[in-house]
Structures are given as C-alpha cells and as structure tokens.
Amino acid sequence: MATALIHMPASAKAGEIIEVRALIAHPMETGYRPGSDGKPIARDIIRRFECKYNGKTVIAADLHPAISANPYLAFFIKASASGPLEFTWSGDNSFTQTERKQLTVQP
C-alpha cells in the first residue's frame, strides 16, 4: 500500500476557489531499468489519477512511464457544496488506492 498525502483546506466559502495538492509515494518503475541481476525490473506504474467532488469527476489524468516516482498533482476547484473529495490512483499489478477528504462549504 502506498502512502498518499493530500493538502487542501477543510472548509471554504461558497464560490471560493481552493487549491488541492495530492502526492502519492510510489516508485513508478518503467520496466526498462536493469536490476542488480541485470534483468529488467518489472514495470509498476500508476496509470490513472481521478478526483471526484460529491461524486462528480473534477479532474482525471492518464499517467505514463515518463512520470517521476512519487507523482505530485496540484489543481484548483470551486467550492460549491459541502461534501467529500475522493482521490483514486490506479495502475499496474492491480494497484488501486483511494483516499477521501471532507470539504465543508460555508454560505
């Protein structure tokens, strides 16, 4: 299981634009690098990132082997209603991790 760090405000005013930053600790092995035995290390990358706000996708990104280890994504959303933000990373070897953060929107 990878470690995910998500930074965002816990609350915002209605209509306010907030920044969301998400980082996940993952080696992002391309499958091209040789291991200590000279054989290529098996490919293991995160292939997709998606964030949903109150069940609706607000950002989705397809990731490729050129993305560095420990991928970091930052984006902005408009706070419209209180609800959860759900962050999902998925990739090779049946890797899937989901984290949730609650956003409280004040009138």
Side-chain angles (χ1 to χ4, degrees):
M1 187 68 93
T3 303
L5 298 172
I6 300 166
H7 293 279
M8 59 175 263
S11 63
K13 292 183 179 180
E16 183 178 354
I17 305 296
I18 63 167
E19 182 178 22
V20 179
R21 296 175 291 165
L23 177 134
I24 189 162
H26 191 280
M28 296 294 279
E29 194 57 62
T30 64
Y32 300 119
R33 193 168 62 97
S36 58
D37 60 359
K39 295 180 182 176
I41 298 172
R43 178 178 141 146
D44 185 14
I45 65 169
I46 294 175
R47 300 179 62 89
R48 185 160 177 85
F49 169 78
E50 185 174 18
C51 176
K52 293 182 179 183
Y53 177 28
N54 280 331
K56 294 184 180 179
T57 300
V58 292
I59 186 172
D62 290 325
L63 307 178
H64 301 279
I67 299 293
S68 68
N70 308 319
Y72 169 82
L73 295 108
F75 54 94
F76 295 89
I77 61 169
K78 185 176 183 178
S80 57
S82 294
L85 274 82
E86 183 177 276
F87 306 85
T88 303
W89 294 265
S90 56
D92 293 339
N93 305 317
S94 301
F95 174 81
T96 300
Q97 182 158 339
T98 301
E99 298 287 331
R100 290 174 185 79
K101 290 279 189 175
Q102 183 69 27
L103 177 64
T104 302
V105 176
Q106 305 156 348

